[in-house]
PDB file of all heavy atoms in Angstrom:
ATOM      1  N   PHE E1307      -3.300  -4.131  -5.113  1.00 98.00           N
ATOM      2  CA  PHE E1307      -3.438  -5.567  -4.499  1.00 98.00           C
ATOM      3  C   PHE E1307      -4.869  -5.708  -4.038  1.00 98.00           C
ATOM      4  O   PHE E1307      -5.335  -4.991  -3.092  1.00 98.00           O
ATOM      5  CB  PHE E1307      -2.501  -5.726  -3.322  1.00 98.00           C
ATOM      6  CG  PHE E1307      -1.014  -5.516  -3.776  1.00 98.00           C
ATOM      7  CD1 PHE E1307      -0.478  -4.245  -3.581  1.00 98.00           C
ATOM      8  CD2 PHE E1307      -0.336  -6.546  -4.181  1.00 98.00           C
ATOM      9  CE1 PHE E1307       0.801  -4.096  -3.963  1.00 98.00           C
ATOM     10  CE2 PHE E1307       1.064  -6.350  -4.563  1.00 98.00           C
ATOM     11  CZ  PHE E1307       1.551  -5.108  -4.495  1.00 98.00           C
ATOM     12  N   ILE E1308      -5.653  -6.530  -4.673  1.00 98.00           N
ATOM     13  CA  ILE E1308      -7.082  -6.773  -4.260  1.00 98.00           C
ATOM     14  C   ILE E1308      -6.837  -8.012  -3.285  1.00 98.00           C
ATOM     15  O   ILE E1308      -6.554  -9.094  -3.609  1.00 98.00           O
ATOM     16  CB  ILE E1308      -7.966  -7.254  -5.434  1.00 98.00           C
ATOM     17  CG1 ILE E1308      -8.020  -6.035  -6.390  1.00 98.00           C
ATOM     18  CG2 ILE E1308      -9.326  -7.592  -4.922  1.00 98.00           C
ATOM     19  CD1 ILE E1308      -8.816  -6.284  -7.674  1.00 98.00           C
ATOM     20  N   GLU E1309      -7.219  -7.683  -1.976  1.00 98.00           N
ATOM     21  CA  GLU E1309      -6.929  -8.644  -0.988  1.00 98.00           C
ATOM     22  C   GLU E1309      -8.234  -9.344  -0.476  1.00 98.00           C
ATOM     23  O   GLU E1309      -9.235  -8.663  -0.363  1.00 98.00           O
ATOM     24  CB  GLU E1309      -6.217  -7.929   0.265  1.00 98.00           C
ATOM     25  CG  GLU E1309      -4.959  -7.233  -0.023  1.00 98.00           C
ATOM     26  CD  GLU E1309      -4.537  -6.345   1.131  1.00 98.00           C
ATOM     27  OE1 GLU E1309      -5.438  -5.779   1.813  1.00 98.00           O
ATOM     28  OE2 GLU E1309      -3.231  -6.190   1.328  1.00 98.00           O
ATOM     29  N   LEU E1310      -8.076 -10.649  -0.146  1.00 98.00           N
ATOM     30  CA  LEU E1310      -9.126 -11.353   0.474  1.00 98.00           C
ATOM     31  C   LEU E1310      -8.775 -11.702   1.900  1.00 98.00           C
ATOM     32  O   LEU E1310      -7.714 -12.245   2.186  1.00 98.00           O
ATOM     33  CB  LEU E1310      -9.434 -12.655  -0.313  1.00 98.00           C
ATOM     34  CG  LEU E1310      -9.752 -12.591  -1.806  1.00 98.00           C
ATOM     35  CD1 LEU E1310     -10.110 -13.985  -2.402  1.00 98.00           C
ATOM     36  CD2 LEU E1310     -10.875 -11.576  -2.119  1.00 98.00           C
ATOM     37  N   TYR E1311      -9.676 -11.470   2.846  1.00 98.00           N
ATOM     38  CA  TYR E1311      -9.525 -11.622   4.194  1.00 98.00           C
ATOM     39  C   TYR E1311     -10.572 -12.604   4.774  1.00 98.00           C
ATOM     40  O   TYR E1311     -11.792 -12.340   4.603  1.00 98.00           O
ATOM     41  CB  TYR E1311      -9.444 -10.392   5.060  1.00 98.00           C
ATOM     42  CG  TYR E1311      -8.124  -9.681   4.892  1.00 98.00           C
ATOM     43  CD1 TYR E1311      -7.927  -8.712   3.949  1.00 98.00           C
ATOM     44  CD2 TYR E1311      -7.067  -9.887   5.768  1.00 98.00           C
ATOM     45  CE1 TYR E1311      -6.817  -7.948   3.772  1.00 98.00           C
ATOM     46  CE2 TYR E1311      -5.824  -9.186   5.655  1.00 98.00           C
ATOM     47  CZ  TYR E1311      -5.729  -8.198   4.628  1.00 98.00           C
ATOM     48  OH  TYR E1311      -4.597  -7.504   4.477  1.00 98.00           O
ATOM     49  N   LEU E1312     -10.174 -13.594   5.518  1.00 98.00           N
ATOM     50  CA  LEU E1312     -11.100 -14.458   6.208  1.00 98.00           C
ATOM     51  C   LEU E1312     -10.706 -14.423   7.730  1.00 98.00           C
ATOM     52  O   LEU E1312      -9.567 -14.892   8.069  1.00 98.00           O
ATOM     53  CB  LEU E1312     -11.133 -15.833   5.678  1.00 98.00           C
ATOM     54  CG  LEU E1312     -12.013 -16.860   6.377  1.00 98.00           C
ATOM     55  CD1 LEU E1312     -13.518 -16.411   6.186  1.00 98.00           C
ATOM     56  CD2 LEU E1312     -11.792 -18.255   5.835  1.00 98.00           C
ATOM     57  N   ASP E1313     -11.623 -13.929   8.560  1.00 97.00           N
ATOM     58  CA  ASP E1313     -11.276 -13.839  10.015  1.00 97.00           C
ATOM     59  C   ASP E1313      -9.993 -13.098  10.193  1.00 97.00           C
ATOM     60  O   ASP E1313      -9.170 -13.466  10.948  1.00 97.00           O
ATOM     61  CB  ASP E1313     -11.248 -15.216  10.638  1.00 97.00           C
ATOM     62  CG  ASP E1313     -12.604 -15.901  10.599  1.00 97.00           C
ATOM     63  OD1 ASP E1313     -13.620 -15.197  10.577  1.00 97.00           O
ATOM     64  OD2 ASP E1313     -12.610 -17.145  10.411  1.00 97.00           O
ATOM     65  N   LYS E1314      -9.780 -11.913   9.444  1.00 96.00           N
ATOM     66  CA  LYS E1314      -8.661 -11.036   9.541  1.00 96.00           C
ATOM     67  C   LYS E1314      -7.391 -11.712   9.118  1.00 96.00           C
ATOM     68  O   LYS E1314      -6.336 -11.102   9.244  1.00 96.00           O
ATOM     69  CB  LYS E1314      -8.544 -10.560  11.061  1.00 96.00           C
ATOM     70  CG  LYS E1314      -9.706  -9.766  11.597  1.00 96.00           C
ATOM     71  CD  LYS E1314      -9.471  -9.169  12.903  1.00 96.00           C
ATOM     72  CE  LYS E1314     -10.724  -8.454  13.468  1.00 96.00           C
ATOM     73  NZ  LYS E1314     -10.488  -7.869  14.838  1.00 96.00           N
ATOM     74  N   GLN E1315      -7.469 -12.862   8.469  1.00 98.00           N
ATOM     75  CA  GLN E1315      -6.315 -13.442   7.865  1.00 98.00           C
ATOM     76  C   GLN E1315      -6.307 -13.257   6.359  1.00 98.00           C
ATOM     77  O   GLN E1315      -7.272 -13.576   5.736  1.00 98.00           O
ATOM     78  CB  GLN E1315      -6.257 -14.954   8.289  1.00 98.00           C
ATOM     79  CG  GLN E1315      -5.055 -15.745   7.508  1.00 98.00           C
ATOM     80  CD  GLN E1315      -5.114 -17.163   7.836  1.00 98.00           C
ATOM     81  OE1 GLN E1315      -5.961 -17.692   8.579  1.00 98.00           O
ATOM     82  NE2 GLN E1315      -4.306 -17.939   7.113  1.00 98.00           N
ATOM     83  N   LEU E1316      -5.179 -12.864   5.871  1.00 98.00           N
ATOM     84  CA  LEU E1316      -5.059 -12.642   4.380  1.00 98.00           C
ATOM     85  C   LEU E1316      -5.009 -14.145   3.729  1.00 98.00           C
ATOM     86  O   LEU E1316      -4.179 -15.000   4.015  1.00 98.00           O
ATOM     87  CB  LEU E1316      -3.704 -11.995   4.000  1.00 98.00           C
ATOM     88  CG  LEU E1316      -3.451 -11.796   2.477  1.00 98.00           C
ATOM     89  CD1 LEU E1316      -4.490 -10.704   1.960  1.00 98.00           C
ATOM     90  CD2 LEU E1316      -2.020 -11.317   2.325  1.00 98.00           C
ATOM     91  N   VAL E1317      -5.909 -14.307   2.785  1.00 98.00           N
ATOM     92  CA  VAL E1317      -6.047 -15.666   2.164  1.00 98.00           C
ATOM     93  C   VAL E1317      -5.915 -15.592   0.653  1.00 98.00           C
ATOM     94  O   VAL E1317      -5.916 -16.684  -0.041  1.00 98.00           O
ATOM     95  CB  VAL E1317      -7.410 -16.387   2.544  1.00 98.00           C
ATOM     96  CG1 VAL E1317      -7.438 -16.594   4.076  1.00 98.00           C
ATOM     97  CG2 VAL E1317      -8.624 -15.612   2.126  1.00 98.00           C
ATOM     98  N   GLY E1318      -5.964 -14.427   0.063  1.00 98.00           N
ATOM     99  CA  GLY E1318      -5.819 -14.315  -1.364  1.00 98.00           C
ATOM    100  C   GLY E1318      -5.396 -12.899  -1.811  1.00 98.00           C
ATOM    101  O   GLY E1318      -5.705 -11.975  -1.114  1.00 98.00           O
ATOM    102  N   VAL E1319      -4.604 -12.806  -2.869  1.00 98.00           N
ATOM    103  CA  VAL E1319      -4.247 -11.463  -3.433  1.00 98.00           C
ATOM    104  C   VAL E1319      -4.307 -11.593  -4.946  1.00 98.00           C
ATOM    105  O   VAL E1319      -3.736 -12.533  -5.529  1.00 98.00           O
ATOM    106  CB  VAL E1319      -2.735 -11.167  -3.008  1.00 98.00           C
ATOM    107  CG1 VAL E1319      -2.288  -9.781  -3.730  1.00 98.00           C
ATOM    108  CG2 VAL E1319      -2.580 -10.980  -1.467  1.00 98.00           C
ATOM    109  N   ALA E1320      -4.920 -10.616  -5.485  1.00 98.00           N
ATOM    110  CA  ALA E1320      -5.000 -10.404  -6.965  1.00 98.00           C
ATOM    111  C   ALA E1320      -4.122  -9.124  -7.282  1.00 98.00           C
ATOM    112  O   ALA E1320      -4.638  -8.074  -7.146  1.00 98.00           O
ATOM    113  CB  ALA E1320      -6.375 -10.344  -7.496  1.00 98.00           C
ATOM    114  N   VAL E1321      -2.947  -9.265  -7.865  1.00 98.00           N
ATOM    115  CA  VAL E1321      -2.099  -8.184  -8.244  1.00 98.00           C
ATOM    116  C   VAL E1321      -2.732  -7.606  -9.482  1.00 98.00           C
ATOM    117  O   VAL E1321      -2.831  -8.348 -10.493  1.00 98.00           O
ATOM    118  CB  VAL E1321      -0.710  -8.476  -8.439  1.00 98.00           C
ATOM    119  CG1 VAL E1321       0.149  -7.297  -8.726  1.00 98.00           C
ATOM    120  CG2 VAL E1321      -0.151  -9.252  -7.143  1.00 98.00           C
ATOM    121  N   THR E1322      -3.182  -6.310  -9.615  1.00 98.00           N
ATOM    122  CA  THR E1322      -3.896  -5.765 -10.682  1.00 98.00           C
ATOM    123  C   THR E1322      -3.470  -4.399 -11.054  1.00 98.00           C
ATOM    124  O   THR E1322      -3.182  -3.645 -10.188  1.00 98.00           O
ATOM    125  CB  THR E1322      -5.428  -5.741 -10.255  1.00 98.00           C
ATOM    126  OG1 THR E1322      -5.911  -6.937  -9.710  1.00 98.00           O
ATOM    127  CG2 THR E1322      -6.289  -5.306 -11.419  1.00 98.00           C
ATOM    128  N   ASP E1323      -3.280  -4.176 -12.316  1.00 98.00           N
ATOM    129  CA  ASP E1323      -2.930  -2.907 -12.789  1.00 98.00           C
ATOM    130  C   ASP E1323      -4.197  -2.183 -13.166  1.00 98.00           C
ATOM    131  O   ASP E1323      -5.101  -2.693 -13.884  1.00 98.00           O
ATOM    132  CB  ASP E1323      -2.065  -2.954 -14.081  1.00 98.00           C
ATOM    133  CG  ASP E1323      -0.641  -3.454 -13.716  1.00 98.00           C
ATOM    134  OD1 ASP E1323      -0.313  -3.286 -12.582  1.00 98.00           O
ATOM    135  OD2 ASP E1323       0.133  -3.902 -14.653  1.00 98.00           O
ATOM    136  N   ILE E1324      -4.412  -0.909 -12.702  1.00 98.00           N
ATOM    137  CA  ILE E1324      -5.539  -0.090 -13.062  1.00 98.00           C
ATOM    138  C   ILE E1324      -5.194   0.926 -14.004  1.00 98.00           C
ATOM    139  O   ILE E1324      -4.266   1.662 -13.789  1.00 98.00           O
ATOM    140  CB  ILE E1324      -6.146   0.554 -11.661  1.00 98.00           C
ATOM    141  CG1 ILE E1324      -6.449  -0.475 -10.681  1.00 98.00           C
ATOM    142  CG2 ILE E1324      -7.303   1.498 -11.978  1.00 98.00           C
ATOM    143  CD1 ILE E1324      -6.926   0.073  -9.292  1.00 98.00           C
ATOM    144  N   LEU E1325      -5.786   0.874 -15.280  1.00 98.00           N
ATOM    145  CA  LEU E1325      -5.540   1.684 -16.350  1.00 98.00           C
ATOM    146  C   LEU E1325      -6.703   2.585 -16.642  1.00 98.00           C
ATOM    147  O   LEU E1325      -7.841   2.452 -15.988  1.00 98.00           O
ATOM    148  CB  LEU E1325      -5.179   0.833 -17.579  1.00 98.00           C
ATOM    149  CG  LEU E1325      -3.972  -0.078 -17.309  1.00 98.00           C
ATOM    150  CD1 LEU E1325      -4.000  -1.273 -18.180  1.00 98.00           C
ATOM    151  CD2 LEU E1325      -2.719   0.714 -17.521  1.00 98.00           C
ATOM    152  N   PRO E1326      -6.586   3.577 -17.564  1.00 97.00           N
ATOM    153  CA  PRO E1326      -7.683   4.570 -17.737  1.00 97.00           C
ATOM    154  C   PRO E1326      -8.970   3.919 -18.060  1.00 97.00           C
ATOM    155  O   PRO E1326     -10.047   4.317 -17.492  1.00 97.00           O
ATOM    156  CB  PRO E1326      -7.137   5.444 -18.928  1.00 97.00           C
ATOM    157  CG  PRO E1326      -5.716   5.399 -18.743  1.00 97.00           C
ATOM    158  CD  PRO E1326      -5.265   4.056 -18.258  1.00 97.00           C
ATOM    159  N   ASP E1327      -9.009   2.816 -18.948  1.00 98.00           N
ATOM    160  CA  ASP E1327     -10.257   2.267 -19.319  1.00 98.00           C
ATOM    161  C   ASP E1327     -10.322   0.788 -19.059  1.00 98.00           C
ATOM    162  O   ASP E1327     -11.238   0.037 -19.543  1.00 98.00           O
ATOM    163  CB  ASP E1327     -10.478   2.532 -20.871  1.00 98.00           C
ATOM    164  CG  ASP E1327     -10.678   4.054 -21.183  1.00 98.00           C
ATOM    165  OD1 ASP E1327     -11.388   4.673 -20.495  1.00 98.00           O
ATOM    166  OD2 ASP E1327     -10.017   4.472 -22.170  1.00 98.00           O
ATOM    167  N   SER E1328      -9.409   0.207 -18.315  1.00 98.00           N
ATOM    168  CA  SER E1328      -9.383  -1.244 -18.142  1.00 98.00           C
ATOM    169  C   SER E1328      -8.683  -1.575 -16.910  1.00 98.00           C
ATOM    170  O   SER E1328      -7.906  -0.829 -16.279  1.00 98.00           O
ATOM    171  CB  SER E1328      -8.876  -1.952 -19.286  1.00 98.00           C
ATOM    172  OG  SER E1328      -7.409  -1.487 -19.583  1.00 98.00           O
ATOM    173  N   LEU E1329      -8.794  -2.879 -16.540  1.00 98.00           N
ATOM    174  CA  LEU E1329      -7.930  -3.542 -15.496  1.00 98.00           C
ATOM    175  C   LEU E1329      -7.141  -4.637 -16.221  1.00 98.00           C
ATOM    176  O   LEU E1329      -7.590  -5.273 -17.107  1.00 98.00           O
ATOM    177  CB  LEU E1329      -8.795  -4.143 -14.372  1.00 98.00           C
ATOM    178  CG  LEU E1329      -9.679  -3.190 -13.543  1.00 98.00           C
ATOM    179  CD1 LEU E1329     -10.373  -4.027 -12.481  1.00 98.00           C
ATOM    180  CD2 LEU E1329      -8.978  -2.026 -13.049  1.00 98.00           C
ATOM    181  N   SER E1330      -5.901  -4.853 -15.696  1.00 98.00           N
ATOM    182  CA  SER E1330      -5.197  -5.991 -16.182  1.00 98.00           C
ATOM    183  C   SER E1330      -4.731  -6.854 -15.018  1.00 98.00           C
ATOM    184  O   SER E1330      -4.152  -6.373 -14.046  1.00 98.00           O
ATOM    185  CB  SER E1330      -3.893  -5.483 -16.891  1.00 98.00           C
ATOM    186  OG  SER E1330      -3.039  -6.504 -17.324  1.00 98.00           O
ATOM    187  N   ALA E1331      -5.127  -8.143 -15.065  1.00 98.00           N
ATOM    188  CA  ALA E1331      -4.846  -9.083 -14.018  1.00 98.00           C
ATOM    189  C   ALA E1331      -3.399  -9.534 -14.226  1.00 98.00           C
ATOM    190  O   ALA E1331      -3.091 -10.225 -15.107  1.00 98.00           O
ATOM    191  CB  ALA E1331      -5.769 -10.283 -14.078  1.00 98.00           C
ATOM    192  N   VAL E1332      -2.507  -9.077 -13.275  1.00 98.00           N
ATOM    193  CA  VAL E1332      -1.068  -9.479 -13.447  1.00 98.00           C
ATOM    194  C   VAL E1332      -0.843 -10.821 -12.975  1.00 98.00           C
ATOM    195  O   VAL E1332      -0.276 -11.637 -13.550  1.00 98.00           O
ATOM    196  CB  VAL E1332      -0.271  -8.394 -12.686  1.00 98.00           C
ATOM    197  CG1 VAL E1332       1.303  -8.734 -12.791  1.00 98.00           C
ATOM    198  CG2 VAL E1332      -0.613  -7.004 -13.197  1.00 98.00           C
ATOM    199  N   TYR E1333      -1.249 -11.094 -11.642  1.00 97.00           N
ATOM    200  CA  TYR E1333      -1.042 -12.435 -11.122  1.00 97.00           C
ATOM    201  C   TYR E1333      -1.898 -12.555  -9.837  1.00 97.00           C
ATOM    202  O   TYR E1333      -2.095 -11.542  -9.128  1.00 97.00           O
ATOM    203  CB  TYR E1333       0.407 -12.675 -10.697  1.00 97.00           C
ATOM    204  CG  TYR E1333       0.728 -14.089 -10.512  1.00 97.00           C
ATOM    205  CD1 TYR E1333       0.835 -15.010 -11.562  1.00 97.00           C
ATOM    206  CD2 TYR E1333       0.996 -14.544  -9.200  1.00 97.00           C
ATOM    207  CE1 TYR E1333       1.072 -16.338 -11.298  1.00 97.00           C
ATOM    208  CE2 TYR E1333       1.267 -15.959  -8.943  1.00 97.00           C
ATOM    209  CZ  TYR E1333       1.332 -16.832  -9.988  1.00 97.00           C
ATOM    210  OH  TYR E1333       1.635 -18.196  -9.853  1.00 97.00           O
ATOM    211  N   SER E1334      -2.343 -13.750  -9.570  1.00 97.00           N
ATOM    212  CA  SER E1334      -3.161 -14.078  -8.318  1.00 97.00           C
ATOM    213  C   SER E1334      -2.513 -15.222  -7.625  1.00 97.00           C
ATOM    214  O   SER E1334      -2.069 -16.157  -8.266  1.00 97.00           O
ATOM    215  CB  SER E1334      -4.701 -14.263  -8.706  1.00 97.00           C
ATOM    216  OG  SER E1334      -5.178 -13.126  -9.352  1.00 97.00           O
ATOM    217  N   TYR E1335      -2.686 -15.198  -6.294  1.00 98.00           N
ATOM    218  CA  TYR E1335      -2.252 -16.342  -5.492  1.00 98.00           C
ATOM    219  C   TYR E1335      -3.162 -16.373  -4.263  1.00 98.00           C
ATOM    220  O   TYR E1335      -3.751 -15.325  -3.844  1.00 98.00           O
ATOM    221  CB  TYR E1335      -0.803 -16.234  -5.226  1.00 98.00           C
ATOM    222  CG  TYR E1335      -0.391 -14.877  -4.642  1.00 98.00           C
ATOM    223  CD1 TYR E1335      -0.295 -14.694  -3.236  1.00 98.00           C
ATOM    224  CD2 TYR E1335       0.015 -13.767  -5.471  1.00 98.00           C
ATOM    225  CE1 TYR E1335       0.139 -13.485  -2.754  1.00 98.00           C
ATOM    226  CE2 TYR E1335       0.417 -12.625  -4.872  1.00 98.00           C
ATOM    227  CZ  TYR E1335       0.571 -12.482  -3.531  1.00 98.00           C
ATOM    228  OH  TYR E1335       0.865 -11.243  -3.060  1.00 98.00           O
ATOM    229  N   PHE E1336      -3.254 -17.521  -3.678  1.00 98.00           N
ATOM    230  CA  PHE E1336      -4.140 -17.643  -2.581  1.00 98.00           C
ATOM    231  C   PHE E1336      -3.666 -18.840  -1.557  1.00 98.00           C
ATOM    232  O   PHE E1336      -2.765 -19.516  -1.930  1.00 98.00           O
ATOM    233  CB  PHE E1336      -5.577 -18.049  -2.975  1.00 98.00           C
ATOM    234  CG  PHE E1336      -5.595 -19.163  -3.999  1.00 98.00           C
ATOM    235  CD1 PHE E1336      -5.845 -20.447  -3.578  1.00 98.00           C
ATOM    236  CD2 PHE E1336      -5.570 -18.933  -5.401  1.00 98.00           C
ATOM    237  CE1 PHE E1336      -5.838 -21.495  -4.423  1.00 98.00           C
ATOM    238  CE2 PHE E1336      -5.619 -19.935  -6.310  1.00 98.00           C
ATOM    239  CZ  PHE E1336      -5.787 -21.244  -5.779  1.00 98.00           C
ATOM    240  N   GLU E1337      -4.378 -18.903  -0.444  1.00 98.00           N
ATOM    241  CA  GLU E1337      -3.981 -19.918   0.526  1.00 98.00           C
ATOM    242  C   GLU E1337      -4.279 -21.315  -0.073  1.00 98.00           C
ATOM    243  O   GLU E1337      -5.386 -21.656  -0.451  1.00 98.00           O
ATOM    244  CB  GLU E1337      -4.901 -19.733   1.831  1.00 98.00           C
ATOM    245  CG  GLU E1337      -4.447 -20.553   2.910  1.00 98.00           C
ATOM    246  CD  GLU E1337      -2.977 -20.249   3.378  1.00 98.00           C
ATOM    247  OE1 GLU E1337      -2.752 -19.163   3.815  1.00 98.00           O
ATOM    248  OE2 GLU E1337      -2.134 -21.161   3.252  1.00 98.00           O
TER     249      GLU E1337
END
């Protein structure tokens, strides 16, 4: 989970699979 915080509040999450040679963006959502 790649998290975005603004003033200690969670405002975005990018759910990401980490693979040997790549990343795969599974889903993202935000405030």
Side-chain angles (χ1 to χ4, degrees):
F1307 304 90
I1308 299 174
E1309 303 171 324
L1310 305 184
Y1311 284 88
L1312 179 62
D1313 298 329
K1314 299 183 179 181
Q1315 176 187 350
L1316 181 71
V1317 297
V1319 175
V1321 185
T1322 309
D1323 288 340
I1324 301 178
L1325 299 155
D1327 294 315
S1328 62
L1329 302 183
S1330 177
V1332 180
Y1333 195 71
S1334 296
Y1335 50 93
F1336 53 87
E1337 189 61 62

